[in-house]
Amino acid sequence: MDKTILEAIDAAAEIWSRAVFPVALTGAGISVASGIPDFRSPGGLWSRFDPMEVATDKALRRNPLGVWQFLLEAVQVFVRAVPNPAHEALAELERAGCLQAIITQNIDSLHQRAGSKRVVEFHGHCRSFYCNSCRAAGDVGRVAKLTRADIPWTCAHCGGVIRPEVVFFGEAIPEQAMQEAERLVARADLAIIVGTSGEVAPFSVFPYRIKAMGGRVIEINLGPTAYGRLSDVRIDAPAERVLPELARRILKPHAPAIS
Ligand SMILES: [Zn+2]
Protein backbone atom coordinates (compact mmCIF):
# COMPACT_ATOMS: atom_id res chain seq x y z
CA MET A 1 0.00 0.00 0.00
CA ASP A 2 1.28 3.48 -0.73
CA LYS A 3 2.61 5.82 1.92
CA THR A 4 -0.43 8.14 2.21
CA ILE A 5 -2.72 5.15 2.78
CA LEU A 6 -0.41 3.72 5.44
CA GLU A 7 -0.27 7.11 7.16
CA ALA A 8 -4.06 7.32 7.09
CA ILE A 9 -4.26 3.82 8.61
CA ASP A 10 -1.88 4.90 11.40
CA ALA A 11 -3.99 7.99 12.09
CA ALA A 12 -7.19 5.91 12.10
CA ALA A 13 -5.66 3.34 14.46
CA GLU A 14 -4.74 6.10 16.89
CA ILE A 15 -8.30 7.51 16.89
CA TRP A 16 -9.84 4.03 17.16
CA SER A 17 -7.56 3.05 20.07
CA ARG A 18 -8.81 6.00 22.10
CA ALA A 19 -12.52 5.42 21.38
CA VAL A 20 -14.77 4.06 24.13
CA PHE A 21 -17.77 3.02 22.04
CA PRO A 22 -16.81 2.45 18.39
CA VAL A 23 -19.57 1.38 16.03
CA ALA A 24 -19.04 0.21 12.43
CA LEU A 25 -21.50 1.21 9.70
CA THR A 26 -21.18 -1.11 6.73
CA GLY A 27 -22.60 -1.38 3.22
CA ALA A 28 -22.21 -3.25 -0.04
CA GLY A 29 -18.56 -2.29 -0.53
CA ILE A 30 -17.39 -4.55 2.30
CA SER A 31 -18.78 -7.66 0.58
CA VAL A 32 -17.50 -7.09 -2.96
CA ALA A 33 -14.32 -9.09 -2.22
CA SER A 34 -16.59 -11.93 -1.07
CA GLY A 35 -17.97 -12.29 -4.57
CA ILE A 36 -21.08 -10.15 -4.12
CA PRO A 37 -20.97 -7.41 -6.73
CA ASP A 38 -22.52 -4.15 -5.55
CA PHE A 39 -26.07 -4.30 -6.96
CA ARG A 40 -25.61 -0.73 -8.21
CA SER A 41 -22.29 -1.33 -10.00
CA PRO A 42 -21.94 -2.12 -13.73
CA GLY A 43 -22.63 -5.86 -14.00
CA GLY A 44 -24.43 -5.77 -10.63
CA LEU A 45 -27.95 -7.13 -10.34
CA TRP A 46 -29.47 -3.68 -10.87
CA SER A 47 -27.94 -3.53 -14.33
CA ARG A 48 -30.10 -6.53 -15.31
CA PHE A 49 -33.15 -6.15 -13.07
CA ASP A 50 -35.17 -3.00 -12.49
CA PRO A 51 -35.44 -2.68 -8.70
CA MET A 52 -38.89 -1.11 -9.06
CA GLU A 53 -40.10 -4.24 -10.90
CA VAL A 54 -38.55 -6.87 -8.62
CA ALA A 55 -37.85 -5.41 -5.18
CA THR A 56 -40.83 -3.36 -4.09
CA ASP A 57 -43.89 -4.15 -1.99
CA LYS A 58 -46.01 -3.57 -5.12
CA ALA A 59 -43.94 -6.00 -7.22
CA LEU A 60 -44.48 -8.73 -4.61
CA ARG A 61 -48.21 -8.52 -5.28
CA ARG A 62 -48.21 -7.82 -9.03
CA ASN A 63 -45.16 -9.63 -10.35
CA PRO A 64 -44.25 -12.63 -8.13
CA LEU A 65 -42.46 -14.44 -10.99
CA GLY A 66 -40.28 -11.40 -11.78
CA VAL A 67 -39.50 -10.99 -8.08
CA TRP A 68 -38.43 -14.63 -7.83
CA GLN A 69 -36.37 -14.57 -11.03
CA PHE A 70 -34.37 -11.88 -9.25
CA LEU A 71 -34.39 -13.51 -5.79
CA LEU A 72 -33.23 -16.86 -7.13
CA GLU A 73 -30.08 -15.23 -8.51
CA ALA A 74 -29.55 -12.96 -5.50
CA VAL A 75 -29.93 -15.72 -2.91
CA GLN A 76 -27.56 -18.02 -4.80
CA VAL A 77 -24.93 -15.26 -4.90
CA PHE A 78 -25.24 -14.91 -1.11
CA VAL A 79 -25.07 -18.68 -0.51
CA ARG A 80 -21.83 -18.98 -2.53
CA ALA A 81 -20.16 -15.97 -0.86
CA VAL A 82 -17.74 -16.35 2.04
CA PRO A 83 -16.60 -13.70 4.55
CA ASN A 84 -13.44 -11.82 3.54
CA PRO A 85 -10.61 -10.38 5.70
CA ALA A 86 -12.62 -7.15 6.27
CA HIS A 87 -15.52 -9.06 7.89
CA GLU A 88 -13.02 -11.16 9.84
CA ALA A 89 -11.09 -8.12 11.15
CA LEU A 90 -14.32 -6.54 12.47
CA ALA A 91 -15.23 -9.81 14.23
CA GLU A 92 -11.75 -9.99 15.77
CA LEU A 93 -11.99 -6.38 16.99
CA GLU A 94 -15.36 -7.10 18.59
CA ARG A 95 -13.99 -10.19 20.38
CA ALA A 96 -11.13 -8.06 21.74
CA GLY A 97 -13.59 -5.45 23.07
CA CYS A 98 -12.50 -2.85 20.50
CA LEU A 99 -15.78 -2.72 18.57
CA GLN A 100 -19.19 -2.46 20.20
CA ALA A 101 -21.45 -3.26 17.26
CA ILE A 102 -21.99 -3.26 13.52
CA ILE A 103 -24.95 -1.59 11.87
CA THR A 104 -25.16 -2.95 8.34
CA GLN A 105 -27.23 -2.33 5.24
CA ASN A 106 -26.15 -5.71 3.87
CA ILE A 107 -28.51 -8.67 3.72
CA ASP A 108 -25.79 -11.30 3.10
CA SER A 109 -25.19 -12.42 6.75
CA LEU A 110 -21.43 -12.34 6.15
CA HIS A 111 -20.71 -10.41 9.37
CA GLN A 112 -22.35 -13.15 11.42
CA ARG A 113 -20.64 -15.87 9.41
CA ALA A 114 -17.29 -14.18 10.18
CA GLY A 115 -18.12 -14.36 13.89
CA SER A 116 -19.54 -10.91 14.70
CA LYS A 117 -22.15 -11.09 17.47
CA ARG A 118 -23.80 -7.71 17.75
CA VAL A 119 -25.02 -6.99 14.23
CA VAL A 120 -27.99 -4.75 13.51
CA GLU A 121 -29.41 -5.59 10.09
CA PHE A 122 -30.98 -2.40 8.86
CA HIS A 123 -32.38 -3.95 5.69
CA GLY A 124 -33.19 -7.43 6.98
CA HIS A 125 -31.59 -10.69 5.82
CA CYS A 126 -32.08 -13.85 3.76
CA ARG A 127 -31.93 -16.38 6.60
CA SER A 128 -35.70 -16.68 6.90
CA PHE A 129 -38.69 -16.44 4.59
CA TYR A 130 -42.38 -15.82 5.10
CA CYS A 131 -45.64 -15.45 3.19
CA ASN A 132 -46.25 -11.86 2.14
CA SER A 133 -50.03 -12.42 2.54
CA CYS A 134 -50.63 -14.58 5.64
CA ARG A 135 -47.16 -14.31 7.27
CA ALA A 136 -46.75 -18.12 7.53
CA ALA A 137 -43.08 -19.09 7.70
CA GLY A 138 -41.47 -20.51 4.55
CA ASP A 139 -39.22 -23.55 4.92
CA VAL A 140 -35.73 -22.07 4.68
CA GLY A 141 -34.32 -25.52 3.82
CA ARG A 142 -36.09 -25.28 0.47
CA VAL A 143 -34.23 -22.17 -0.62
CA ALA A 144 -30.98 -23.85 -1.66
CA LYS A 145 -32.91 -26.40 -3.75
CA LEU A 146 -35.17 -23.96 -5.59
CA THR A 147 -34.87 -24.08 -9.38
CA ARG A 148 -36.45 -22.08 -12.17
CA ALA A 149 -39.26 -24.64 -12.29
CA ASP A 150 -40.20 -23.91 -8.65
CA ILE A 151 -40.70 -20.18 -8.92
CA PRO A 152 -42.51 -18.12 -7.91
CA TRP A 153 -42.32 -19.79 -4.51
CA THR A 154 -45.83 -19.58 -3.12
CA CYS A 155 -47.45 -20.24 0.24
CA ALA A 156 -48.87 -23.73 0.88
CA HIS A 157 -51.66 -22.18 3.00
CA CYS A 158 -52.94 -19.25 0.98
CA GLY A 159 -51.07 -19.13 -2.35
CA GLY A 160 -49.44 -15.80 -1.49
CA VAL A 161 -45.86 -15.15 -2.51
CA ILE A 162 -43.08 -16.26 -0.13
CA ARG A 163 -40.47 -13.58 0.45
CA PRO A 164 -37.21 -13.18 2.37
CA GLU A 165 -36.99 -11.21 5.62
CA VAL A 166 -35.55 -8.35 3.56
CA VAL A 167 -36.67 -4.72 3.46
CA PHE A 168 -37.91 -4.03 -0.07
CA PHE A 169 -37.96 -0.54 -1.58
CA GLY A 170 -40.90 1.39 -0.18
CA GLU A 171 -40.99 -0.66 3.03
CA ALA A 172 -40.13 0.62 6.50
CA ILE A 173 -36.90 -0.24 8.32
CA PRO A 174 -37.74 -2.97 10.89
CA GLU A 175 -38.77 -1.26 14.14
CA GLN A 176 -36.39 -3.31 16.30
CA ALA A 177 -33.38 -2.64 14.04
CA MET A 178 -34.20 1.08 13.97
CA GLN A 179 -34.45 1.31 17.76
CA GLU A 180 -31.28 -0.69 18.31
CA ALA A 181 -29.39 1.45 15.77
CA GLU A 182 -30.65 4.64 17.47
CA ARG A 183 -29.45 3.37 20.87
CA LEU A 184 -26.01 2.48 19.51
CA VAL A 185 -25.60 5.76 17.63
CA ALA A 186 -26.57 7.74 20.75
CA ARG A 187 -23.74 6.06 22.70
CA ALA A 188 -21.10 5.90 19.97
CA ASP A 189 -18.03 8.13 20.11
CA LEU A 190 -16.58 6.75 16.87
CA ALA A 191 -18.23 5.81 13.57
CA ILE A 192 -16.25 3.59 11.22
CA ILE A 193 -17.91 3.85 7.79
CA VAL A 194 -17.02 0.91 5.54
CA GLY A 195 -18.15 0.39 1.96
CA THR A 196 -21.14 2.70 1.94
CA SER A 197 -21.21 5.98 0.08
CA GLY A 198 -23.71 7.85 2.22
CA GLU A 199 -26.55 8.29 -0.23
CA VAL A 200 -29.39 6.39 1.48
CA ALA A 201 -31.05 7.97 4.53
CA PRO A 202 -31.71 7.34 7.39
CA PHE A 203 -28.62 5.08 7.52
CA SER A 204 -26.38 7.74 5.97
CA VAL A 205 -27.26 10.23 8.73
CA PHE A 206 -25.78 8.19 11.62
CA PRO A 207 -22.15 9.36 11.26
CA TYR A 208 -23.31 13.01 11.17
CA ARG A 209 -25.13 12.44 14.45
CA ILE A 210 -22.09 10.81 16.05
CA LYS A 211 -19.88 13.69 14.89
CA ALA A 212 -22.39 16.31 16.10
CA MET A 213 -22.21 14.81 19.60
CA GLY A 214 -18.43 15.21 19.66
CA GLY A 215 -17.52 11.81 18.20
CA ARG A 216 -15.06 11.02 15.43
CA VAL A 217 -15.51 9.48 11.99
CA ILE A 218 -13.23 7.11 10.08
CA GLU A 219 -14.21 6.36 6.49
CA ILE A 220 -12.96 3.39 4.46
CA ASN A 221 -14.37 3.73 0.98
CA LEU A 222 -13.18 3.49 -2.60
CA GLY A 223 -13.61 6.72 -4.53
CA PRO A 224 -15.53 9.87 -3.65
CA THR A 225 -18.62 9.63 -1.46
CA ALA A 226 -21.42 11.89 -0.23
CA TYR A 227 -19.65 12.21 3.15
CA GLY A 228 -17.21 14.75 1.72
CA ARG A 229 -15.34 16.46 4.52
CA LEU A 230 -17.22 14.83 7.41
CA SER A 231 -14.55 12.21 8.14
CA ASP A 232 -11.61 12.81 10.46
CA VAL A 233 -9.69 10.19 8.49
CA ARG A 234 -10.63 8.95 5.05
CA ILE A 235 -8.91 5.84 3.66
CA ASP A 236 -9.42 5.38 -0.07
CA ALA A 237 -8.46 1.71 -0.36
CA PRO A 238 -10.20 -1.69 -0.30
CA ALA A 239 -11.68 -2.60 3.10
CA GLU A 240 -10.30 -6.15 2.92
CA ARG A 241 -6.78 -4.71 2.89
CA VAL A 242 -7.32 -1.78 5.27
CA LEU A 243 -9.28 -3.40 8.12
CA PRO A 244 -6.80 -6.24 8.85
CA GLU A 245 -4.00 -3.65 8.97
CA LEU A 246 -6.07 -1.46 11.28
CA ALA A 247 -6.93 -4.42 13.53
CA ARG A 248 -3.26 -5.37 13.76
CA ARG A 249 -2.28 -1.85 14.83
CA ILE A 250 -5.12 -1.59 17.37
CA LEU A 251 -4.72 -5.07 18.86
CA LYS A 252 -0.89 -5.23 18.83
CA PRO A 253 0.21 -1.61 18.88
CA HIS A 254 3.88 -2.43 19.53
CA ALA A 255 4.34 -5.01 16.77
CA PRO A 256 6.66 -3.88 13.97
CA ALA A 257 4.98 -2.82 10.75
CA ILE A 258 5.06 -5.43 7.99
CA SER A 259 4.06 -3.25 5.05
ZN1 LIG B 1 -49.78 -17.48 3.01
Side-chain angles (χ1 to χ4, degrees), residues 20-24 93-94 97-102 118-119 184 187:
V20 175
F21 204 94
V23 171
L93 284 158
E94 184 189 24
C98 298
L99 182 67
Q100 294 297 325
I102 298 169
R118 195 168 186 189
V119 182
L184 291 167
R187 289 187 67 185

Side-chain angles (χ1 to χ4, degrees), residues 130-137 154-162:
Y130 66 93
C131 170
N132 198 48
S133 302
C134 76
R135 308 268 143 186
T154 53
C155 175
H157 306 286
C158 78
V161 58
I162 302 283

Side-chain angles (χ1 to χ4, degrees), residues 200-234:
V200 185
F203 189 92
S204 57
V205 178
F206 292 148
Y208 290 93
R209 299 238 310 264
I210 292 168
K211 184 95 177 191
M213 292 181 302
R216 312 292 292 275
V217 176
I218 295 168
E219 186 184 351
I220 304 165
N221 266 323
L222 282 175
T225 66
Y227 289 114
R229 298 172 63 84
L230 174 76
S231 311
D232 294 279
V233 179
R234 191 179 134 67

Side-chain angles (χ1 to χ4, degrees), residues 164-177:
E165 196 86 40
V166 160
V167 179
F168 277 36
F169 292 101
E171 294 182 328
I173 305 303
E175 182 83 12
Q176 207 187 338

Side-chain angles (χ1 to χ4, degrees), residues 2 27 39 47-48 53 61 64 78-79 103 119 124 164 175 182 208-209 238:
D2 76 43
F39 283 15
S47 67
R48 286 186 294 123
E53 296 295 324
R61 284 177 273 118
F78 295 149
V79 168
I103 308 172
V119 182
E175 182 83 12
E182 294 278 356
Y208 290 93
R209 299 238 310 264

